[in-house]
């Protein structure tokens, strides 16, 4: 048993208002836990608190009762005996009369009423007593918000859980509720009141009971809230949204049919208002009420509902059609919310009571008028906008009515279809007959847009009805009227639609063509056994589309629509597994499309688009198409190889482009068709292998590029085993080439390469490039049996200027690293061995007189060779090739994080600085020769600087994730942080006007490609360097791209929040530098970005930038007169920002 | 044509001092109300007040002038006029708007500057 004095202290803490809220909450939970753990009985607590519960001091009594209530709220799951509950609820019900201490009584009542039966709950009589006391004593609307909320919660609880007990109160209860909820405004309370009204009818289900007699009063209170007008701003912390309230009110509205005489007129009245949200709400409420009130009651309002609904549909102004290829899938109507809700309601009405509403629709004068007027307009443009809008509204109404059920569908078809067919100019006759005269007559004059449109809506409705569910499809027999009618008209409808969609008449509007295509598409895609159209008609439709594609390629819309329709039909066949149709589709569409590749006329790019799009509609078609494409590629390539035809080269290039853009991704996505890619690559290899007389012109280099891309993508998507086979095959072809010294040992020197004047034949060059593509894109685990020979080959060829070879070398070393971690294959070389081979190669020696062969030199071979590279050579071209090759190797190494990359970068840096030494070198040539020498040397240095771009940049052609490159995380960061100190010290030392800009170029390349986050973290140190770089690089026009890149880095720092803090200190030097760039003459983007940076700087603290104001404003005023508009606009903004720092 | 649009871009979004709409929306300024002679560095803007007794005509004119002053290179001479026959005191307004001294004096008045800045705020978007 708890210490009595301790208990008293807790009670005191709560009752005394001077204690903090947390203390009070703590004391309540302590007392509650004491009772829960049976250390204290409720009885003892009540006895202890007697004084507080009965005192005449209002404040203390209120606190005391509240304490008891709150403790009870904590004890929801604690079993209590009935007598305790009885006496407690009696006490609280009694206390409801005590308005001074009401809060506690409310909390207590609620806590007790909410108890579950397991722990003992309030008895029915007690609940009734509470209700009585509540109705007698409480003036809910005079209370505060929180108390009102508690009151409503009690009411809700009583209605939901003690329905039978309180129902006997009858009228008294209903009046009480009316009084309580009247004029409520708080969103939370409203949610509760709406719910109370919703629950109320469950107590009085009798349609002539007490609720029915006072329904008017209750609805009166509710109706004031409709439509919900919610003005609470979002930031008031109210989590109730307008939609929640609207939903709750809707449920209250539809809770009982006795509201019907009041609700429907109100909703119809609000529906005719001009406020869009009121309209939408009314329609939603009506939909709900229609279902809940039942057919009989709604029928009373049938006429009124229909006429209001019709007006709404006619006037919903955004009911505009779009006739583009995109909308071919659905029905091309972009409806607004009102129209959607209205049509939804109409559908519900028709489903509920089709005799009444369908009768209204059929008898409607407006609809009949539309039918009469459309006959008088011959084509789209003649129809006035107002009529067109009505026409579309009628179309939607008919669509919804037909789609509602089979019965209505039949009736719509019976009543309307013959009239439309008549307007379209088809005489009602058997489908086997040939085109009648009136039809031909109609075609020459253009078609009747209105009838065409309505016809399409009906067809679509019928198709959607059948397609909407399997069950329904089964219940719709082919004997149904709509199906019979369709069957009898299908062939003539097809004729009409075909003639419209193939119309070349100038007068035919796009909308008509769209509808024609749409009609054919609907006819072709009627599902399964309910297909009212014979196979012959289906084939005719396909033929129409194919002929559009082949003949009307100059009419973009027609062509696109037809293609889209064909793709949709293909997809449909695949989805419903229609074998017969699949065969016709294959025969008519796929094969004709492929055959068209060899036709003349249609531009080749369009042919390819058509073929590849059709391919996407199904696997079988794609496989067929891929085969066709391959054959075409082979045929064209052989033309190119043997005859050197440039027209075939163009076509082959487009085919290959299509192959890499569409086919390879498709195979990659589908999976399981690897053998296609394997076959494709093998075909390419064998073809070039078998062509001995190679007649390719030099200008067809573009074809080679596309071929390499296709090869790379195809190989990259293969598995390792297939890649092994491809490498083997490629190597065999390669070995057959005469100009490649695959077997020679590494004894040659670079200089000898130049002297060997054997130019690679163009066939060999192609083979080499293709092989390089294979090596670039293979998986790291693919095996390469002839590694040494290949290495040597690439090293020789890259010095002769083959970039793919250099990239392949880079990929080779990059992927070797991965393999050394995986299962080691004994015959393989490790990365270290390969690197040794590469760097010890004598190929790096550039001097004639450099004697070779002593052991000493071989040991330090790589050092000698590489340093040799820096000191210039006989041929600067050779040197440039070597630098490029080295850069690609370096890229491969840097990506997998190898240390050797450090040596390579040192070589480049050495190159940059060594110009002083070359000029000292004794030159045997004359003065003119020397200047030529310097020129070529400066270009060598520039390439050395740009090697860093290769090292740091991301490349599409090779070493990307797509081509399975090994990428170590954060390699850029690591390189950045090792290079920065080195560069910094070099820049400090460098005084030459020649190498300094190049050093900045290197710096710019590195920093541009480093992630901005890394640059930001080090921005204090980097900003001075960036600024130096900007001013140095702005002197040379050739550096403009690098300058722009560097400026973007700076602007990145300036725009960043953290960056701005560090920038603040060096604001003045940054501004000085940027001001210089405002007038940069060579690149508009530089000027624009510089001004944007200045604008960003204007946001710095005023004390920092105010001194610079004049200095900025003057050049900015000049920029106002810039020749480019974008710059002028930025200048205006920037000037305003700086001018307003007054 | 391109030149006209450039100039129009500068002033189309100026807000009317009395309404929450831009001058272009209110048709106070239209495309053909701007004449530019780039070689002579001369611009003339002719604006149409919404009503004949529009008391804000001078403020609108002042806004246009300030905006162009801030947006154009200093070589331009800007001439701002009320469209003939659209304002009761046309001559007076024209005179006031093109008097350098009076414009300068107007910009000394902090209340007026605040008002102008408020109208111009949307144009610096």
């Amino acid at each position: 048993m708890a210490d009595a004095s301790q208990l008293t202290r807790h009670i005191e803490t709560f009752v005394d208002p001077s204690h903090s809220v947390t203390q009070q909450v703590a004391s309540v939970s302590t007392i509650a836990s004491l009772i829960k753990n049976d250390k204290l009985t409720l009885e003892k607590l009540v006895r202890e608190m007697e004084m507080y519960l009965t005192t005449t001091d209002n404040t203390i009594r209120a606190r005391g009762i509240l304490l008891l209530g709150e403790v009870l709220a904590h004890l929801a799951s604690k079993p209590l005996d009935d007598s305790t509950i009885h006496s407690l609820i009696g006490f609280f019900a009694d206390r409801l009369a005590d308005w001074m201490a009401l809060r506690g009584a409310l909390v207590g009542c609620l806590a007790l009423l909410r108890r579950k039966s397991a722990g003992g709950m309030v008895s029915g009589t007690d609940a009734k007593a509470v209700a009585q006391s509540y109705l007698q004593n409480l003036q809910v609307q005079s209370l505060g918000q929180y108390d009102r909320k508690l009151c409503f919660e009690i009411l809700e609880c009583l209605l939901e859980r003690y329905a039978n007990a309180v129902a006997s109160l009858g009228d008294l209860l209903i009046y009480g509720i009316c009084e309580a909820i009247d004029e409520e405004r708080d969103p939370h309370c409203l949610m509760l009141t709406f719910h109370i009204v919703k629950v109320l009818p469950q107590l009085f289900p009798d349609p002539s009971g007490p609720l029915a007699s006072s329904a008017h009063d209750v609805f009166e209170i509710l109706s004031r809230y409709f439509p919900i007008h919610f003005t609470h701003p979002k930031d008031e912390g109210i989590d109730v949204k307008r939609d929640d309230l609207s939903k709750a009110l809707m449920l209250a509205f539809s809770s009982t049919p006795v509201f019907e005489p009041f609700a429907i007129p109100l909703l119809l009245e609000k529906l005719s208002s001009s406020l869009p949200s009121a309209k939408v709400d009314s329609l939603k409420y009506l939909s709900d009420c229609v279902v809940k009130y039942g057919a009989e009651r709604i029928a009373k309002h049938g006429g009124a509902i229909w006429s209001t609904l019709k007006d709404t549909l006619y006037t919903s102004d955004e009911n505009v059609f779009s006739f583009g290829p995109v909308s071919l899938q659905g029905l091309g109507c972009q409806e607004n919310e009102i129209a959607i809700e209205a049509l939804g309601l109409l559908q519900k009405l028709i489903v509920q009571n089709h005799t009444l509403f369908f009768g209204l629709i059929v008898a409607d004068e407006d609809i009949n008028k539309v039918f009469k007027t459309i006959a008088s307009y011959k084509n789209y443009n003649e129809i006035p906008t107002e009529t067109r809008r009505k026409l579309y509204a009628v179309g939607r109404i008919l669509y919804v009515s037909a789609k509602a059920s089979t019965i209505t569908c039949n009736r719509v078809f019976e009543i309307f279809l013959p009239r439309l067919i008549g307007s379209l100019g088809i005489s009602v006759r058997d489908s086997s007959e040939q085109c009648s005269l009136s039809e031909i007559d109609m075609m020459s004059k253009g078609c009747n847009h209105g009838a065409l449109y309505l016809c399409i809506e009906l067809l679509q409705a019928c198709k959607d009805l059948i397609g909407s569910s399997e069950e329904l499809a089964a219940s719709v027999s082919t004997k149904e009227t709509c199906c019979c009618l369709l069957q009898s008209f299908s062939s003539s409808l097809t004729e009409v639609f075909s003639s419209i969609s193939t119309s070349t008449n100038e007068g035919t509007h796009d909308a008509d063509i769209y509808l024609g295509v749409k009609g054919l598409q609907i006819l072709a895609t009627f599902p399964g056994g309910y297909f009212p159209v014979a196979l012959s008609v289906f084939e005719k439709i396909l033929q129409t589309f194919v002929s559009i594609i082949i003949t009307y390629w100059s009419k973009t819309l027609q062509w696109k629509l037809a293609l889209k329709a064909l793709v949709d039909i293909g997809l449909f066949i695949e989805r419903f597994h229609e074998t017969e149709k699949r065969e016709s589709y294959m025969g008519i569409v796929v094969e004709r499309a492929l055959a068209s590749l060899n036709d003349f006329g249609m531009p080749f790019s369009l042919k390819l688009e058509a073929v590849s799009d059709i391919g996407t509609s199904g696997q079988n078609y794609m496989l067929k198409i891929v085969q066709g494409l391959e054959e075409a590629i082979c045929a064209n390539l052989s033309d190119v190889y043997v005859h050197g035809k440039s027209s075939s080269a163009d076509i082959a290039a487009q085919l290959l482009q299509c192959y890499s853009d569409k086919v390879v991704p498709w195979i990659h996505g589908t999976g399981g068709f690897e053998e296609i890619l394997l076959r494709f690559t093998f075909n390419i290899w064998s073809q070039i292998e078998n062509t001995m007389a190679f007649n390719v012109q030099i200008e067809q280099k573009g074809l080679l590029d596309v071929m390499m891309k296709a090869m790379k993508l195809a190989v990259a998507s293969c598995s390792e085993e297939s890649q092994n086979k491809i490498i083997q095959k490629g190597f065999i072809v390669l070995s057959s080439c005469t100009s490649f010294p695959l077997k020679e040992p590494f004894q040659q020197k670079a200089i000898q390469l130049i002297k060997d004047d054997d130019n690679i034949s163009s066939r060999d060059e192609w083979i080499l490039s293709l092989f390089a593509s294979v090596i670039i894109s293979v998986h790291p685990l693919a095996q390469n049996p002839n590694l040494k020979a290949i290495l040597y080959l690439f090293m020789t060829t890259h010095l002769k200027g083959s970039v793919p070879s250099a990239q392949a070398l880079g990929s080779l070393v990059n992927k070797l690293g991965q393999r050394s971690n995986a299962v080691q294959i004994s015959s393989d070389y490790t990365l270290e061995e390969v690197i040794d081979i590469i760097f010890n190669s004598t190929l790096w020696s550039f001097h004639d007189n450099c004697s070779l062969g002593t052991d000493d030199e071989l040991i330090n071979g790589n050092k000698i060779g590489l340093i040799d590279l820096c000191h210039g050579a006989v041929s600067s071209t050779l040197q440039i090739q070597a630098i490029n090759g080295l850069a690609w190797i370096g890229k491969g190494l840097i990506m997998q994080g190898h240390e050797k990359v450090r040596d390579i970068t040192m070589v480049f840096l050495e190159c940059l600085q060594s110009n002083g030494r070359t000029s000292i070198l004794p030159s045997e040539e004359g003065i003119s020769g020397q200047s030529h020498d310097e020129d070529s040397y400066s270009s060598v240095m520039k390439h050395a600087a740009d090697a860093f771009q290769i090292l740091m940049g991301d490349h599409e052609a090779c070493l990307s994730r797509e081509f399975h490159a090994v990428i170590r995380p954060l390699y850029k960061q690591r390189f950045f942080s090792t290079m920065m100190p080195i560069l910094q010290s070099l820049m400090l030392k460098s005084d030459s006007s020649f190498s300094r800009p190049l050093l900045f170029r290197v710096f710019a390349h590195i920093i541009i490609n480093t992630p901005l986050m890394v640059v930001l973290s080090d921005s204090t140190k980097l900003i001075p360097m960036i600024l130096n770089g900007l001013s140095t690089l702005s002197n040379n026009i050739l550096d403009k791209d690098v300058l722009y890149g560097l400026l973007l880095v700076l602007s990145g720092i300036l725009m960043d929040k953290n960056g701005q803090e560090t920038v603040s200190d060096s604001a003045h030097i940054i501004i000085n530098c940027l001001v210089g760039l405002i007038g940069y003459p060579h690149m508009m983007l530089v000027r624009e970005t510089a001004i944007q940076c200045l604008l960003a700087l204007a946001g710095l603290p005023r004390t920092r930038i105010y001194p610079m104001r004049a200095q900025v404003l003057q050049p900015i005023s000049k920029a106002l007169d810039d020749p480019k508009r974008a710059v002028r606009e930025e200048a205006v903004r920037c000037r305003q920002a700086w001018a307003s720092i007054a | 044509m391109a030149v006209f649009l450039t100039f129009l871009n500068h002033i189309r979004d100026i807000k009317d001092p009395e309404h929450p709409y831009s001058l272009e929306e209110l048709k106070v300024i239209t495309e053909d109300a701007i004449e530019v002679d780039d070689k002579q560095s001369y611009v003339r803007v002719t604006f149409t007040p919404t009503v004949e007794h529009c008391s804000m005509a001078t403020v609108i004119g002042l806004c246009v002038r300030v905006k162009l002053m801030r947006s154009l290179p200093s070589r331009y001479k800007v001439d701002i006029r009320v469209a003939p026959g659209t304002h009761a005191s046309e001559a007076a307004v024209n005179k006031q708007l093109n008097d350098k001294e009076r414009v300068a004096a107007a910009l000394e008045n902090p209340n007026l500057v605040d008002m102008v800045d408020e109208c111009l705020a949307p144009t610096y978007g």
Side-chain angles (χ1 to χ4, degrees), chain A residues 204-219:
Chain A
F204 307 104
D206 184 9
S208 54
L211 182 60
S213 54
S214 50
H216 183 255
D217 298 331
V218 179
F219 192 78

Side-chain angles (χ1 to χ4, degrees), chain A residues 1120-1121 1125 1133 1135-1136, chain B residues 69-71 73 75 124-125:
Chain A
L1120 289 174
D1121 213 2
R1125 184 193 294 189
R1133 233 167 267 152
R1135 182 167 186 240
Q1136 173 60 17
Chain B
M69 249 165 54
R70 288 180 187 171
S71 311
R75 66 188 164 95
Y124 297 109

Side-chain angles (χ1 to χ4, degrees), chain A residues 118-187:
Chain A
M121 59 189 283
V122 179
S123 68
T125 27
D126 286 339
K128 190 172 171 184
V130 173
Q132 269 164 336
S133 167
Y134 183 107
L135 296 173
Q136 211 161 26
N137 297 312
L138 288 180
Q139 295 290 323
V140 178
Q141 284 308 315
S142 62
L143 303 174
Q145 188 260 342
Y146 188 76
D147 289 338
R148 286 207 310 277
K149 193 170 166 226
L150 287 173
C151 289
F152 290 130
E153 275 170 343
I154 291 174
L155 208 48
E156 188 186 25
C157 196
L158 281 171
L159 291 180
E160 280 190 324
R161 307 189 55 182
Y162 303 92
N164 294 333
V166 292
S168 57
L169 288 167
D171 282 339
L172 193 63
L173 180 67
I174 296 172
Y175 289 137
I177 288 173
C178 286
E179 198 188 341
I181 65 179
D182 198 10
E183 298 289 321
E184 180 55 63
R185 286 185 184 280
D186 179 73

Side-chain angles (χ1 to χ4, degrees), chain A residues 469-483:
Chain A
S469 74
E470 291 288 318
E471 269 170 61
L472 202 60
S475 71
V476 178
S477 83
T478 36
K479 296 279 181 291
E480 293 283 354
T481 328
C482 56
C483 294

Side-chain angles (χ1 to χ4, degrees), chain A residues 823-888:
Chain A
V823 189
Q824 181 69 44
I825 300 150
S826 56
S827 66
D828 272 358
Y829 292 90
T830 63
L831 177 63
E832 303 307 321
E833 283 162 358
V834 169
I835 287 177
D836 275 352
I837 293 174
I838 293 177
F839 289 100
N840 289 334
S841 157
T842 53
L843 281 171
W844 299 113
S845 329
F846 291 103
H847 285 287
D848 248 347
N849 53 359
C850 174
S851 63
L852 182 85
T854 64
D855 289 346
D856 231 14
E857 271 177 331
L858 266 183
I859 292 165
N860 299 326
N862 80 54
K863 263 212 156 132
I864 288 174
L866 292 181
I867 287 177
D868 213 22
L869 182 65
C870 326
H871 289 280
V874 178
S875 154
S876 63
T877 359
L878 186 63
Q879 211 175 353
I880 290 171
Q881 313 292 15
I883 287 175
N884 277 341
L886 207 52
W888 283 110

Side-chain angles (χ1 to χ4, degrees), chain A residues 791-812:
Chain A
L791 263 183
Y792 181 64
L793 170 72
F794 283 142
M795 288 196 52
T796 337
T797 46
H798 99 253
L799 286 176
K800 287 180 179 173
S802 163
V803 179
S805 299
Q807 292 175 344
L809 270 180
S811 303
L812 260 181

